[in-house]
Amino acid sequence: QLSNIYFPLEQNKLTTAGIPIFDFSSSVALMGEELYFNFFESRYRQLVQEAMSTTSSSASKKGWFILRATTNVASCTLMKIIEHTDPFTTNDMVFVKCIAGPRIKVVKEIEVPINNTNTALDDNNKKLPSPMIRATHIAFDKDDKVE
């Protein structure tokens, strides 16, 4: 399993798969490092749901997302979810265990509205979280050419 995390068999699919990005205020993980997250914001619960669609197997409970350091947006790591609680329930929190894969470059990205969120303010006039970000094209750091 670790070899597929370090050198994903799905590299061709992943480069244009629309992988969700988690902007993290800490540094990026090192390859092979295990990280644990408790996602409670709706955009990050949606991130886990969308990460499940980045695998080849529809039966897989695992998926990919990008961990990007907010202090250095050029520093990104492809993360493989290896365990998680059910992101499809209405719970307030999703627990995720993941392993860091290779460093990557985000070449193109888009903002994705959060499910059922069409306004910038909630009912109490509080600002809603910013939309989720999705990479629409990535390049593995070993690649010499980035288009």
Side-chain angles (χ1 to χ4, degrees):
Q1 181 183 7
L2 285 179
S3 62
N4 186 35
I5 293 170
Y6 300 155
F7 307 102
L9 298 174
E10 324 150 293
Q11 275 190 18
N12 290 337
K13 179 186 176 198
L14 287 174
T15 57
T16 58
I19 302 172
I21 298 173
F22 175 43
D23 285 321
F24 191 51
S25 61
S26 187
S27 62
V28 175
L30 300 174
M31 189 181 287
E33 184 177 1
E34 284 188 11
L35 291 176
Y36 302 86
F37 296 102
N38 287 311
F39 294 130
F40 55 89
E41 287 185 41
S42 57
R43 62 181 163 169
Y44 297 127
R45 290 195 315 264
Q46 182 177 337
L47 174 144
V48 176
Q49 291 174 351
E50 293 199 13
M52 297 304 110
S53 67
T54 61
T55 59
S56 314
S57 168
S58 59
S60 176
K61 297 283 187 195
K62 302 170 183 173
W64 297 98
F65 71 93
I66 296 167
L67 182 66
R68 179 168 65 184
T70 55
T71 55
N72 180 5
V73 294
S75 188
C76 300
T77 303
L78 189 61
M79 302 294 293
K80 179 76 169 194
I81 296 172
I82 57 172
E83 283 183 51
H84 62 84
T85 56
D86 190 356
F88 299 99
T89 64
T90 57
N91 291 341
D92 292 336
M93 195 173 303
V94 177
F95 171 77
V96 175
K97 177 183 178 182
C98 46
I99 296 179
R103 293 288 173 111
I104 60 162
K105 297 172 189 155
V106 174
V107 180
K108 292 182 185 175
E109 64 183 63
I110 59 170
E111 288 188 355
V112 180
I114 300 169
N115 290 338
N116 302 320
T117 301
N118 297 319
T119 61
L121 300 175
D122 68 9
D123 294 337
N124 298 320
N125 283 334
K126 291 185 179 178
K127 188 176 177 184
L128 291 168
S130 59
M132 189 179 70
I133 307 291
R134 183 184 301 142
T136 58
H137 188 113
I138 65 170
F140 288 83
D141 267 358
K142 65 180 173 60
D143 296 345
D144 294 334
K145 181 180 173 187
V146 177
E147 297 177 11

